[in-house]
Amino acid sequence: MAFKEVKAEELQMNPFTKIGKEWMLITAGNEEKCNTMTASWGGVGIMWGKNAVTTYIRPQRYTKEFVDANDTFTISFFDESYRKALNICGSVSGRDKDKIKEAGLTPYFVDGTAAFEEANLILVCKKMYHGDILPENFEDEKIDTKWYPQKDYHTMYISEILKVLVKED
């Protein structure tokens, strides 16, 4: 399958649906070794004058090691027929198994990082900032109680969108 590059401003997606309901894969690494994880938290907008995304990764996720070790990573979106693959990538650790193969996905390498041929939208991202979510900064303590019972606070990454690829028909 082929992809074509489009301008971020041309995207016709609803981020609340794409991220929160359809989910996405955050992928980092290269042709030698890469890993991916399913995510349903994030954002898209403008930061520091650049098209940007925010992503959130818990410290125990294997993919975090790949995101931390590389300047770039991708976010891949899929149609509903890949829900089972996304479930596998969100519940199986790449430390223990080849979850990419188990999910039936085909790595697609672009600009020194990894994505997937089956995706219908890929964002190639470059990290600009990262920081840990801190419990003392919650204005509403219920958020801490509900979302962090194990105190495994996410690292937030703010990243520039370097390239937007859409699947060609």
PDB file of all heavy atoms in Angstrom, residues 85-114:
ATOM      1  N   ALA A  85      -6.363  -6.052  16.302  1.00  0.00           N
ATOM      2  CA  ALA A  85      -4.923  -5.777  16.299  1.00  0.00           C
ATOM      3  C   ALA A  85      -4.575  -4.725  17.348  1.00  0.00           C
ATOM      4  O   ALA A  85      -3.576  -4.852  18.073  1.00  0.00           O
ATOM      5  CB  ALA A  85      -4.469  -5.327  14.912  1.00  0.00           C
ATOM      6  N   LEU A  86      -5.404  -3.695  17.454  1.00  0.00           N
ATOM      7  CA  LEU A  86      -5.162  -2.651  18.448  1.00  0.00           C
ATOM      8  C   LEU A  86      -5.305  -3.205  19.866  1.00  0.00           C
ATOM      9  O   LEU A  86      -4.557  -2.817  20.772  1.00  0.00           O
ATOM     10  CB  LEU A  86      -6.100  -1.468  18.225  1.00  0.00           C
ATOM     11  CG  LEU A  86      -5.832  -0.666  16.947  1.00  0.00           C
ATOM     12  CD1 LEU A  86      -6.951   0.329  16.682  1.00  0.00           C
ATOM     13  CD2 LEU A  86      -4.508   0.044  17.015  1.00  0.00           C
ATOM     14  N   ASN A  87      -6.257  -4.097  20.059  1.00  0.00           N
ATOM     15  CA  ASN A  87      -6.410  -4.738  21.369  1.00  0.00           C
ATOM     16  C   ASN A  87      -5.160  -5.554  21.733  1.00  0.00           C
ATOM     17  O   ASN A  87      -4.701  -5.512  22.869  1.00  0.00           O
ATOM     18  CB  ASN A  87      -7.656  -5.625  21.404  1.00  0.00           C
ATOM     19  CG  ASN A  87      -8.907  -4.837  21.703  1.00  0.00           C
ATOM     20  OD1 ASN A  87      -8.930  -3.992  22.587  1.00  0.00           O
ATOM     21  ND2 ASN A  87      -9.970  -5.118  20.962  1.00  0.00           N
ATOM     22  N   ILE A  88      -4.637  -6.282  20.767  1.00  0.00           N
ATOM     23  CA  ILE A  88      -3.416  -7.069  21.010  1.00  0.00           C
ATOM     24  C   ILE A  88      -2.256  -6.141  21.364  1.00  0.00           C
ATOM     25  O   ILE A  88      -1.536  -6.370  22.341  1.00  0.00           O
ATOM     26  CB  ILE A  88      -3.072  -7.950  19.786  1.00  0.00           C
ATOM     27  CG1 ILE A  88      -4.109  -9.072  19.640  1.00  0.00           C
ATOM     28  CG2 ILE A  88      -1.648  -8.519  19.900  1.00  0.00           C
ATOM     29  CD1 ILE A  88      -4.038  -9.824  18.329  1.00  0.00           C
ATOM     30  N   CYS A  89      -2.095  -5.068  20.598  1.00  0.00           N
ATOM     31  CA  CYS A  89      -0.975  -4.149  20.830  1.00  0.00           C
ATOM     32  C   CYS A  89      -1.115  -3.392  22.145  1.00  0.00           C
ATOM     33  O   CYS A  89      -0.129  -2.851  22.656  1.00  0.00           O
ATOM     34  CB  CYS A  89      -0.834  -3.178  19.661  1.00  0.00           C
ATOM     35  SG  CYS A  89      -0.293  -3.989  18.145  1.00  0.00           S
ATOM     36  N   GLY A  90      -2.315  -3.370  22.705  1.00  0.00           N
ATOM     37  CA  GLY A  90      -2.535  -2.710  23.985  1.00  0.00           C
ATOM     38  C   GLY A  90      -2.488  -3.638  25.175  1.00  0.00           C
ATOM     39  O   GLY A  90      -2.454  -3.195  26.321  1.00  0.00           O
ATOM     40  N   SER A  91      -2.468  -4.951  24.920  1.00  0.00           N
ATOM     41  CA  SER A  91      -2.536  -5.888  26.041  1.00  0.00           C
ATOM     42  C   SER A  91      -1.363  -6.871  26.107  1.00  0.00           C
ATOM     43  O   SER A  91      -1.193  -7.551  27.107  1.00  0.00           O
ATOM     44  CB  SER A  91      -3.848  -6.678  25.984  1.00  0.00           C
ATOM     45  OG  SER A  91      -3.920  -7.435  24.793  1.00  0.00           O
ATOM     46  N   VAL A  92      -0.563  -6.924  25.060  1.00  0.00           N
ATOM     47  CA  VAL A  92       0.587  -7.835  25.006  1.00  0.00           C
ATOM     48  C   VAL A  92       1.854  -6.981  25.020  1.00  0.00           C
ATOM     49  O   VAL A  92       1.934  -5.988  24.303  1.00  0.00           O
ATOM     50  CB  VAL A  92       0.532  -8.702  23.720  1.00  0.00           C
ATOM     51  CG1 VAL A  92       1.792  -9.517  23.561  1.00  0.00           C
ATOM     52  CG2 VAL A  92      -0.698  -9.589  23.718  1.00  0.00           C
ATOM     53  N   SER A  93       2.841  -7.376  25.801  1.00  0.00           N
ATOM     54  CA  SER A  93       4.094  -6.624  25.843  1.00  0.00           C
ATOM     55  C   SER A  93       5.053  -7.111  24.768  1.00  0.00           C
ATOM     56  O   SER A  93       5.237  -8.313  24.585  1.00  0.00           O
ATOM     57  CB  SER A  93       4.763  -6.771  27.210  1.00  0.00           C
ATOM     58  OG  SER A  93       6.029  -6.115  27.180  1.00  0.00           O
ATOM     59  N   GLY A  94       5.673  -6.170  24.088  1.00  0.00           N
ATOM     60  CA  GLY A  94       6.706  -6.491  23.113  1.00  0.00           C
ATOM     61  C   GLY A  94       7.967  -7.042  23.755  1.00  0.00           C
ATOM     62  O   GLY A  94       8.831  -7.559  23.062  1.00  0.00           O
ATOM     63  N   ARG A  95       8.083  -6.925  25.069  1.00  0.00           N
ATOM     64  CA  ARG A  95       9.219  -7.527  25.779  1.00  0.00           C
ATOM     65  C   ARG A  95       9.132  -9.045  25.725  1.00  0.00           C
ATOM     66  O   ARG A  95      10.137  -9.727  25.713  1.00  0.00           O
ATOM     67  CB  ARG A  95       9.201  -7.125  27.258  1.00  0.00           C
ATOM     68  CG  ARG A  95       9.745  -5.798  27.579  1.00  0.00           C
ATOM     69  CD  ARG A  95       9.834  -5.635  29.108  1.00  0.00           C
ATOM     70  NE  ARG A  95      10.156  -4.270  29.448  1.00  0.00           N
ATOM     71  CZ  ARG A  95       9.270  -3.370  29.832  1.00  0.00           C
ATOM     72  NH1 ARG A  95       8.005  -3.688  29.945  1.00  0.00           N
ATOM     73  NH2 ARG A  95       9.652  -2.147  30.125  1.00  0.00           N
ATOM     74  N   ASP A  96       7.885  -9.547  25.750  1.00  0.00           N
ATOM     75  CA  ASP A  96       7.641 -10.981  25.887  1.00  0.00           C
ATOM     76  C   ASP A  96       7.344 -11.697  24.580  1.00  0.00           C
ATOM     77  O   ASP A  96       7.599 -12.889  24.461  1.00  0.00           O
ATOM     78  CB  ASP A  96       6.453 -11.210  26.838  1.00  0.00           C
ATOM     79  CG  ASP A  96       6.632 -10.489  28.156  1.00  0.00           C
ATOM     80  OD1 ASP A  96       7.772 -10.421  28.653  1.00  0.00           O
ATOM     81  OD2 ASP A  96       5.630  -9.980  28.683  1.00  0.00           O
ATOM     82  N   LYS A  97       6.753 -10.992  23.635  1.00  0.00           N
ATOM     83  CA  LYS A  97       6.300 -11.609  22.383  1.00  0.00           C
ATOM     84  C   LYS A  97       6.508 -10.645  21.227  1.00  0.00           C
ATOM     85  O   LYS A  97       6.634  -9.444  21.419  1.00  0.00           O
ATOM     86  CB  LYS A  97       4.799 -11.925  22.450  1.00  0.00           C
ATOM     87  CG  LYS A  97       4.404 -12.969  23.440  1.00  0.00           C
ATOM     88  CD  LYS A  97       2.904 -13.206  23.340  1.00  0.00           C
ATOM     89  CE  LYS A  97       2.459 -14.297  24.294  1.00  0.00           C
ATOM     90  NZ  LYS A  97       1.042 -14.547  24.200  1.00  0.00           N
ATOM     91  N   ASP A  98       6.437 -11.175  20.015  1.00  0.00           N
ATOM     92  CA  ASP A  98       6.420 -10.334  18.822  1.00  0.00           C
ATOM     93  C   ASP A  98       4.967  -9.943  18.588  1.00  0.00           C
ATOM     94  O   ASP A  98       4.254 -10.556  17.800  1.00  0.00           O
ATOM     95  CB  ASP A  98       6.997 -11.090  17.625  1.00  0.00           C
ATOM     96  CG  ASP A  98       7.100 -10.223  16.383  1.00  0.00           C
ATOM     97  OD1 ASP A  98       6.524  -9.106  16.362  1.00  0.00           O
ATOM     98  OD2 ASP A  98       7.752 -10.660  15.421  1.00  0.00           O
ATOM     99  N   LYS A  99       4.514  -8.928  19.321  1.00  0.00           N
ATOM    100  CA  LYS A  99       3.099  -8.566  19.248  1.00  0.00           C
ATOM    101  C   LYS A  99       2.725  -7.952  17.908  1.00  0.00           C
ATOM    102  O   LYS A  99       1.572  -8.036  17.507  1.00  0.00           O
ATOM    103  CB  LYS A  99       2.705  -7.648  20.403  1.00  0.00           C
ATOM    104  CG  LYS A  99       3.269  -6.259  20.381  1.00  0.00           C
ATOM    105  CD  LYS A  99       2.686  -5.493  21.550  1.00  0.00           C
ATOM    106  CE  LYS A  99       3.291  -4.133  21.713  1.00  0.00           C
ATOM    107  NZ  LYS A  99       2.707  -3.445  22.868  1.00  0.00           N
ATOM    108  N   ILE A 100       3.666  -7.368  17.214  1.00  0.00           N
ATOM    109  CA  ILE A 100       3.373  -6.804  15.894  1.00  0.00           C
ATOM    110  C   ILE A 100       2.970  -7.937  14.946  1.00  0.00           C
ATOM    111  O   ILE A 100       1.962  -7.843  14.242  1.00  0.00           O
ATOM    112  CB  ILE A 100       4.569  -5.992  15.361  1.00  0.00           C
ATOM    113  CG1 ILE A 100       4.761  -4.736  16.233  1.00  0.00           C
ATOM    114  CG2 ILE A 100       4.384  -5.641  13.892  1.00  0.00           C
ATOM    115  CD1 ILE A 100       6.041  -3.970  15.964  1.00  0.00           C
ATOM    116  N   LYS A 101       3.735  -9.012  14.973  1.00  0.00           N
ATOM    117  CA  LYS A 101       3.411 -10.179  14.146  1.00  0.00           C
ATOM    118  C   LYS A 101       2.100 -10.803  14.603  1.00  0.00           C
ATOM    119  O   LYS A 101       1.240 -11.143  13.789  1.00  0.00           O
ATOM    120  CB  LYS A 101       4.549 -11.205  14.217  1.00  0.00           C
ATOM    121  CG  LYS A 101       4.360 -12.396  13.325  1.00  0.00           C
ATOM    122  CD  LYS A 101       5.569 -13.322  13.381  1.00  0.00           C
ATOM    123  CE  LYS A 101       5.363 -14.496  12.447  1.00  0.00           C
ATOM    124  NZ  LYS A 101       6.519 -15.405  12.491  1.00  0.00           N
ATOM    125  N   GLU A 102       1.935 -10.954  15.926  1.00  0.00           N
ATOM    126  CA  GLU A 102       0.714 -11.534  16.481  1.00  0.00           C
ATOM    127  C   GLU A 102      -0.529 -10.725  16.098  1.00  0.00           C
ATOM    128  O   GLU A 102      -1.598 -11.281  15.871  1.00  0.00           O
ATOM    129  CB  GLU A 102       0.829 -11.618  18.012  1.00  0.00           C
ATOM    130  CG  GLU A 102      -0.288 -12.374  18.674  1.00  0.00           C
ATOM    131  CD  GLU A 102      -0.075 -12.548  20.170  1.00  0.00           C
ATOM    132  OE1 GLU A 102       1.077 -12.752  20.602  1.00  0.00           O
ATOM    133  OE2 GLU A 102      -1.068 -12.493  20.906  1.00  0.00           O
ATOM    134  N   ALA A 103      -0.364  -9.408  15.996  1.00  0.00           N
ATOM    135  CA  ALA A 103      -1.480  -8.532  15.619  1.00  0.00           C
ATOM    136  C   ALA A 103      -1.731  -8.530  14.112  1.00  0.00           C
ATOM    137  O   ALA A 103      -2.724  -7.965  13.647  1.00  0.00           O
ATOM    138  CB  ALA A 103      -1.215  -7.107  16.104  1.00  0.00           C
ATOM    139  N   GLY A 104      -0.833  -9.145  13.342  1.00  0.00           N
ATOM    140  CA  GLY A 104      -0.998  -9.189  11.888  1.00  0.00           C
ATOM    141  C   GLY A 104      -0.651  -7.887  11.199  1.00  0.00           C
ATOM    142  O   GLY A 104      -1.152  -7.602  10.107  1.00  0.00           O
ATOM    143  N   LEU A 105       0.208  -7.094  11.804  1.00  0.00           N
ATOM    144  CA  LEU A 105       0.577  -5.806  11.227  1.00  0.00           C
ATOM    145  C   LEU A 105       1.926  -5.893  10.519  1.00  0.00           C
ATOM    146  O   LEU A 105       2.781  -6.694  10.886  1.00  0.00           O
ATOM    147  CB  LEU A 105       0.630  -4.742  12.324  1.00  0.00           C
ATOM    148  CG  LEU A 105      -0.693  -4.462  13.029  1.00  0.00           C
ATOM    149  CD1 LEU A 105      -0.485  -3.505  14.190  1.00  0.00           C
ATOM    150  CD2 LEU A 105      -1.723  -3.917  12.052  1.00  0.00           C
ATOM    151  N   THR A 106       2.105  -5.035   9.517  1.00  0.00           N
ATOM    152  CA  THR A 106       3.313  -5.011   8.709  1.00  0.00           C
ATOM    153  C   THR A 106       4.060  -3.716   8.948  1.00  0.00           C
ATOM    154  O   THR A 106       3.538  -2.632   8.645  1.00  0.00           O
ATOM    155  CB  THR A 106       2.958  -5.104   7.205  1.00  0.00           C
ATOM    156  OG1 THR A 106       2.050  -6.199   7.011  1.00  0.00           O
ATOM    157  CG2 THR A 106       4.196  -5.267   6.354  1.00  0.00           C
ATOM    158  N   PRO A 107       5.260  -3.772   9.508  1.00  0.00           N
ATOM    159  CA  PRO A 107       6.009  -2.533   9.733  1.00  0.00           C
ATOM    160  C   PRO A 107       6.255  -1.775   8.429  1.00  0.00           C
ATOM    161  O   PRO A 107       6.495  -2.368   7.373  1.00  0.00           O
ATOM    162  CB  PRO A 107       7.322  -3.011  10.346  1.00  0.00           C
ATOM    163  CG  PRO A 107       6.970  -4.309  10.990  1.00  0.00           C
ATOM    164  CD  PRO A 107       5.954  -4.933  10.056  1.00  0.00           C
ATOM    165  N   TYR A 108       6.158  -0.464   8.516  1.00  0.00           N
ATOM    166  CA  TYR A 108       6.392   0.459   7.407  1.00  0.00           C
ATOM    167  C   TYR A 108       7.396   1.482   7.928  1.00  0.00           C
ATOM    168  O   TYR A 108       7.124   2.162   8.922  1.00  0.00           O
ATOM    169  CB  TYR A 108       5.072   1.128   7.010  1.00  0.00           C
ATOM    170  CG  TYR A 108       5.190   2.217   5.981  1.00  0.00           C
ATOM    171  CD1 TYR A 108       5.339   1.919   4.633  1.00  0.00           C
ATOM    172  CD2 TYR A 108       5.128   3.556   6.353  1.00  0.00           C
ATOM    173  CE1 TYR A 108       5.423   2.920   3.683  1.00  0.00           C
ATOM    174  CE2 TYR A 108       5.215   4.566   5.406  1.00  0.00           C
ATOM    175  CZ  TYR A 108       5.370   4.244   4.073  1.00  0.00           C
ATOM    176  OH  TYR A 108       5.463   5.239   3.126  1.00  0.00           O
ATOM    177  N   PHE A 109       8.546   1.555   7.318  1.00  0.00           N
ATOM    178  CA  PHE A 109       9.597   2.424   7.825  1.00  0.00           C
ATOM    179  C   PHE A 109       9.636   3.719   7.032  1.00  0.00           C
ATOM    180  O   PHE A 109       9.645   3.721   5.804  1.00  0.00           O
ATOM    181  CB  PHE A 109      10.935   1.690   7.795  1.00  0.00           C
ATOM    182  CG  PHE A 109      10.902   0.461   8.667  1.00  0.00           C
ATOM    183  CD1 PHE A 109      10.692  -0.795   8.114  1.00  0.00           C
ATOM    184  CD2 PHE A 109      10.998   0.575  10.043  1.00  0.00           C
ATOM    185  CE1 PHE A 109      10.626  -1.925   8.926  1.00  0.00           C
ATOM    186  CE2 PHE A 109      10.929  -0.547  10.863  1.00  0.00           C
ATOM    187  CZ  PHE A 109      10.740  -1.797  10.305  1.00  0.00           C
ATOM    188  N   VAL A 110       9.639   4.813   7.767  1.00  0.00           N
ATOM    189  CA  VAL A 110       9.585   6.130   7.162  1.00  0.00           C
ATOM    190  C   VAL A 110      10.452   7.078   7.988  1.00  0.00           C
ATOM    191  O   VAL A 110      10.339   7.112   9.216  1.00  0.00           O
ATOM    192  CB  VAL A 110       8.126   6.644   7.055  1.00  0.00           C
ATOM    193  CG1 VAL A 110       7.413   6.629   8.397  1.00  0.00           C
ATOM    194  CG2 VAL A 110       8.053   8.021   6.426  1.00  0.00           C
ATOM    195  N   ASP A 111      11.334   7.782   7.319  1.00  0.00           N
ATOM    196  CA  ASP A 111      12.156   8.813   7.965  1.00  0.00           C
ATOM    197  C   ASP A 111      12.863   8.306   9.222  1.00  0.00           C
ATOM    198  O   ASP A 111      12.909   8.990  10.254  1.00  0.00           O
ATOM    199  CB  ASP A 111      11.313  10.048   8.285  1.00  0.00           C
ATOM    200  CG  ASP A 111      10.775  10.732   7.031  1.00  0.00           C
ATOM    201  OD1 ASP A 111      11.241  10.390   5.924  1.00  0.00           O
ATOM    202  OD2 ASP A 111       9.891  11.591   7.151  1.00  0.00           O
ATOM    203  N   GLY A 112      13.380   7.090   9.164  1.00  0.00           N
ATOM    204  CA  GLY A 112      14.161   6.547  10.257  1.00  0.00           C
ATOM    205  C   GLY A 112      13.365   6.018  11.439  1.00  0.00           C
ATOM    206  O   GLY A 112      13.932   5.716  12.486  1.00  0.00           O
ATOM    207  N   THR A 113      12.048   5.905  11.282  1.00  0.00           N
ATOM    208  CA  THR A 113      11.220   5.360  12.356  1.00  0.00           C
ATOM    209  C   THR A 113      10.196   4.401  11.759  1.00  0.00           C
ATOM    210  O   THR A 113      10.185   4.164  10.555  1.00  0.00           O
ATOM    211  CB  THR A 113      10.571   6.495  13.193  1.00  0.00           C
ATOM    212  OG1 THR A 113      10.006   5.935  14.376  1.00  0.00           O
ATOM    213  CG2 THR A 113       9.547   7.279  12.406  1.00  0.00           C
ATOM    214  N   ALA A 114       9.365   3.838  12.609  1.00  0.00           N
ATOM    215  CA  ALA A 114       8.460   2.770  12.174  1.00  0.00           C
ATOM    216  C   ALA A 114       6.997   3.172  12.307  1.00  0.00           C
ATOM    217  O   ALA A 114       6.619   3.894  13.231  1.00  0.00           O
ATOM    218  CB  ALA A 114       8.714   1.513  12.998  1.00  0.00           C
TER     219      ALA A 114
END
